[in-house]
Amino acid sequence: MRFRWAARTHTGRVRGNNEDALWPRPGSGETNEILLVAVADGMGGAAGGEIASKTAIDTASAVGGSAAIRVQAANLAVLDEASRRPRLTGMGTTLTLAIIDPNGTVDIGHVGDSRAYLRRDGDLRKVTSDHSYIGEMMAAGRLTPEEAKNHPYRSVVTRAVGLESSVEVDTTELELQAGDRLLLCSDGLSSMVDDGAIAEILDGRDDPAEAARALVEAANAAGGDDNITVVIVDADDE
Ligand code: MN
């Protein structure tokens, strides 16, 4: 398969700095070789969030191995970084990562409330579960989507990279088909723009770079409460 990708990040309209990190670096391109894409959303005071997400992305993109192994390596790297700089203690990050093989196989590793979506045949499917207070309450049927929208705990994650020596990593495998579009994003997109609107924006733009730009614009138009990061990959026959 051949992949066209686009990666974009924006501080948003409220926060003073961008604690998201991503892979590839912002831009766009195409390849018929193995492609790694990842989104990390850092948390922790005193610049901790920025360092945690950057450390996770730098590590996950540099080490070899499966998605799960890369997430575990990132976990240890963030923990190690924090242990050497006491003021960074407690920093952590989400990490959602996909290794996309030219044969179409996608290996996804995921911790936190960033997301991966698959757009296929008019259907937008979320392929990761949110490790968040809200996500778990909704999965248990104790909170409606409407109640979740403005919930004071909506940014509380229940699982993060960099807090303990081992982290439970969700893994998923997908088989891409020609015409599929994969989206990775931080909650700065998904908490501001609902799935229906995301699907509409993805459908209206053939060029992944244009689609990425439009998603960021939509999140900012909705308020831009948080840092916004999106990575899009289109799969096509060679
Ligand atoms: Mn965020």
Side-chain angles (χ1 to χ4, degrees):
M1 297 189 114
R2 186 156 198 92
F3 307 115
R4 284 199 304 162
W5 61 266
R8 198 169 180 90
T9 188
H10 191 273
T11 304
R13 297 172 61 190
V14 174
R15 302 285 174 88
N17 55 343
N18 192 344
E19 300 192 331
D20 285 359
L22 70 169
W23 191 266
R25 302 295 179 211
S28 58
E30 56 179 284
T31 183
N32 55 6
E33 293 176 3
I34 195 157
L35 176 65
L36 175 76
V37 294
V39 167
D41 178 350
M43 63 210 77
E50 267 175 279
I51 293 168
S53 61
K54 184 181 182 302
T55 301
I57 291 289
D58 287 351
T59 303
S61 60
V63 297
S66 68
I69 285 171
R70 288 171 191 252
V71 176
Q72 292 292 0
N75 181 65
L76 288 174
V78 174
L79 195 64
D80 182 55
E81 193 70 28
S83 73
R84 288 189 288 114
R85 299 155 84 175
R87 72 193 178 89
L88 299 179
T89 301
M91 71 175 177
T93 183
T94 73
L95 182 57
T96 302
L97 173 155
I99 305 169
I100 309 172
D101 190 277
N103 71 12
T105 304
V106 185
D107 177 17
I108 295 175
H110 164 73
V111 172
D113 68 349
S114 300
R115 292 181 175 178
Y117 289 94
L118 177 66
R119 184 69 172 159
R120 171 182 291 169
D121 299 333
D123 180 53
L124 183 71
R125 182 159 69 95
K126 184 153 80 79
V127 295
T128 50
S129 305
D130 297 345
H131 302 141
S132 65
Y133 173 78
I134 293 290
E136 287 176 11
M137 291 287 277
M138 279 171 60
R142 296 173 61 191
L143 210 59
T144 66
E146 208 43 51
E147 289 169 330
K149 221 170 230 175
N150 295 305
H151 201 285
Y153 296 165
R154 69 183 185 281
S155 60
V156 174
V157 295
T158 49
R159 220 193 280 181
V161 160
L163 299 181
E164 288 170 41
S165 58
S166 177
V167 64
E168 189 187 345
V169 182
D170 285 1
T171 56
T172 316
E173 202 168 282
L174 300 174
E175 289 297 331
L176 287 182
Q177 301 169 5
D180 281 354
R181 176 170 264 182
L182 194 67
L183 166 68
L184 267 59
C185 66
S186 63
D187 69 332
L189 176 71
S190 54
S191 67
M192 304 306 296
V193 183
D194 65 32
D195 287 5
I198 290 175
E200 208 165 291
I201 290 164
L202 289 176
D203 283 356
R205 282 126 189 117
D206 206 37
D207 177 4
E210 261 178 51
R213 191 177 308 121
L215 289 172
V216 169
E217 273 170 19
N220 276 324
D225 289 352
D226 195 5
N227 308 143
I228 309 145
T229 300
V230 299
V231 183
I232 295 174
V233 180
D234 288 345
D236 268 303
D237 288 324
E238 187 68 48

